[in-house]
Amino acid sequence: LPDLADAVGSPNLLTDPDVVAGYCVDWTGRFHGGAAAVVRPASTDEVAAVVAACRRHGLALVPQGGNTGLVGGSVPGEGAVVLATTRLTAPADVDAAGGQATVRAGTTVAALHAAATAAGWDYGVDFAARDSATVGGTIATNAGGVRVLRHGDTRAQVLGVEAVLGDGSVVSHLGGLLKDNTGYHLPSLLCGSEGTLGVVTAARVRLVAAAPARAVALLGFAAMEDAVTAALALHRDLPVLDAAELMTGAGIDLVCRVLDLAPPFAARHAAVLLVEAAATGDPTAVLAEAVSGVEGVVDAAVATDGPRRAALWRYRESHTEAINHLGPPHKLDVTLPSAALAPFLAEVPAVVRRVVPGADVWLFGHAADGNIHVNVTGVAPDDEAADDAVLDLVAAHGGSISAEHGIGRAKVRWLHLNRSAAEIAAFRAIKRALDPDGILNPGVLLPEG
Ligand code: FAD
Ligand code: 2HG
Ligand code: ZN
């Protein structure tokens, strides 16, 4: 503790058990830990001093940003030290001419959006946890979100990173050159590394062109298959498509019940697709024309002004919160090849109920990029029968067991479904090289051993 206090200053070393407890549970309440202390460094040098102290004392170190991760990766194991990035913030340094920004790791995604917008640009990654999730956390998880179909995932935005690696060395490459073939691409490696290789302290990100004129349509379908086909067709045919989000009638009912909202349509529909078009000029006509060519639409609600667009988005963005009201869910965040998406959605509820008859299955997600969130409620936190069944089905269809949330603690047991022994051995070699003492986030991403 004295070494950690030297590293960050006593006021930024937290040891009061009641305070520390707040850092030891995840957003869903499913994963719990027990840290020895929390440190809140304010600079890269302080992060390096914390890493050095943890190496000296053989302490596990768990980076934590907004703690909105959904796979238990930011939850410390017993006796670990949490490195909270709360104080690694500063106003984003925006290069308005070049369309890039240098941003510190503790900055929220919402703050980065605000800085980009103020400079006439936008940031390409967005999702419901934007007010809490941090740039460092989104890099560590390679976050996806609702705009991947247009702008790609976080990895596609990151041009350079600064990080303190597990061996204590600082790597910093924030020049933002668009063409720079000078060896291994460390930003790509750190994207999705889930705090196991280094603590990200800053990043250089690309910004995307602002598209302030927006139109949102909520489309009702009688069959899930029609909604999936529509999402893929709109992705192909509508260049200004910014989001295509799939929901079920049951999911919308739950959101309306928990949040006390009026339903979006007079009738209930088996599947609902939210589509958003964004451009510099009003995209309503082009969206309406594209939707008129889509088969199977039985109902539609359209919004162009900000408050009504937000009201339609609320049905989609409140799913995670509404489901949490039913108790800690099992979250399966999967991608399917496009041809397998509709068959998977049709099969998965019965597959879950075969192993856990009383379970409820909630399906929603980013349909156009094949990413579906399968949430299962009514199952004990440590009963993994439903997880097994869903992830085996995903693997049988050639999908991924983690589309955008990462492996964390929750999915380690199933990594082998997507990664060969040779790939896992390569992962371990990288881990040993950058974090020789294994202090960074042990138990996350890689199977022990
Ligand atoms: P944390 O939860 O604090 O940490 C996540 C992981 O990153 C942990 O392994 C942690 O150790 C590591 N980490 C954090 N900061 C650093 C750092 N500076 N350096 C190194 N490692 C670090 N995710 C999506 O991809 N798409 C979505 O659409 C989406 N929607 C969400 C909606 C809601 C309502 C919620 C609650 C979550 C959602 N998420 C989504 C999940 C989550 O918000 C993302 O995974 C996000 O990237 C986590 O950021 P964070 O700052 O909260 O990270
Ligand atoms: C989303 O797309 C998030 O809303 C969260 O990735 C998904 O709650 C979930 O399972
Ligand atoms: Zn998602």
Side-chain angles (χ1 to χ4, degrees):
L1 292 181
D3 279 7
L4 291 171
D6 280 350
V8 294
S10 303
N12 293 302
L13 170 66
L14 313 177
T15 53
D16 177 338
D18 289 339
V19 176
V20 171
Y23 294 79
C24 295
V25 60
D26 78 317
W27 197 92
T28 68
R30 182 170 173 215
F31 299 96
H32 298 262
V38 177
V39 290
R40 300 185 305 171
S43 67
T44 302
D45 285 349
E46 288 188 7
V47 172
V50 169
V51 170
C54 288
R55 280 194 83 188
R56 261 196 316 278
H57 295 283
L59 287 170
L61 183 62
V62 178
Q64 191 178 98
N67 199 17
T68 64
L70 297 173
V71 287
S74 52
V75 175
E78 212 56 54
V81 174
V82 172
L83 186 157
T85 60
T86 342
R87 295 177 67 236
L88 289 172
T89 55
D93 179 7
V94 180
D95 169 4
Q100 299 184 3
T102 298
V103 57
R104 299 190 72 202
T107 307
T108 64
V109 173
L112 176 52
H113 273 277
T117 303
W121 292 86
D122 198 357
Y123 181 58
V125 170
D126 194 24
F127 50 92
R130 59 183 74 80
D131 290 324
S132 306
T134 61
V135 168
T138 55
I139 291 173
T141 58
N142 187 28
V146 296
R147 302 173 75 187
V148 170
L149 59 87
R150 191 161 186 182
H151 301 299
D153 56 16
T154 298
R155 184 176 280 125
Q157 323 303 321
V158 179
L159 299 168
V161 287
E162 178 177 275
V164 180
L165 302 179
D167 66 1
S169 57
V170 176
V171 291
S172 184
H173 200 78
L174 299 172
L177 296 177
L178 288 175
K179 301 188 83 172
D180 185 11
N181 280 348
T182 51
Y184 302 133
H185 196 241
L186 294 178
S188 291
L189 181 60
L190 287 165
C191 282
S193 62
E194 301 189 49
T196 63
L197 301 179
V199 181
V200 175
T201 55
R204 181 79 172 178
V205 295
R206 72 173 78 240
L207 303 177
V208 299
R214 290 177 178 267
V216 174
L218 210 55
L219 308 175
F221 294 83
M224 180 62 87
E225 197 179 351
D226 290 344
V228 169
T229 306
L232 298 175
L234 288 168
H235 189 206
R236 185 191 58 214
D237 298 338
L238 189 59
V240 294
L241 188 68
D242 221 48
E245 296 290 315
L246 186 68
M247 294 164 272
T248 62
I252 290 187
D253 287 349
L254 176 71
V255 166
C256 291
R257 181 159 58 79
V258 172
L259 279 87
D260 198 18
L261 298 181
F265 301 116
R268 183 176 188 280
H269 304 296
V272 174
L273 192 64
L274 182 154
V275 288
E276 180 165 49
T280 43
D282 185 358
T284 312
V286 71
L287 176 62
E289 190 191 335
V291 167
S292 69
V294 166
E295 284 181 23
V297 179
V298 294
D299 219 341
V302 179
T304 50
D305 63 87
R308 288 195 309 133
R309 281 190 278 119
L312 294 185
W313 266 108
R314 203 158 174 220
Y315 296 112
R316 165 62 181 89
E317 291 204 326
S318 303
H319 269 63
T320 304
E321 179 188 345
I323 290 166
N324 242 38
H325 278 252
L326 305 175
H330 287 241
K331 287 189 176 288
L332 294 318
D333 156 44
V334 303
T335 330
L336 280 303
S338 53
L341 193 51
F344 172 82
L345 287 163
E347 291 163 27
V348 73
V351 163
V352 169
R353 287 198 195 99
R354 203 172 300 141
V355 292
V356 192
D360 284 312
V361 180
W362 308 95
L363 302 172
F364 59 103
H366 319 288
D369 45 60
N371 177 190
I372 291 302
H373 297 301
V374 181
N375 278 222
V376 183
T377 56
V379 183
D382 55 354
D383 177 353
E384 293 187 326
D387 308 53
D388 266 328
V390 174
L391 298 181
D392 282 346
L393 181 66
V394 168
H397 278 295
S400 169
I401 63 153
S402 173
E404 58 175 11
H405 297 163
I407 297 298
R409 297 183 187 283
K411 310 289 162 58
V412 174
R413 195 156 82 65
W414 294 279
L415 185 61
H416 68 95
L417 290 176
N418 281 125
R419 295 300 189 169
S420 66
E423 283 175 303
I424 293 174
F427 288 179
R428 282 195 202 288
I430 293 168
K431 168 79 174 165
R432 271 195 304 276
L434 302 190
D435 180 20
D437 300 321
I439 58 165
L440 284 177
N441 242 350
V444 167
L445 206 166
L446 284 170
E448 301 277 7

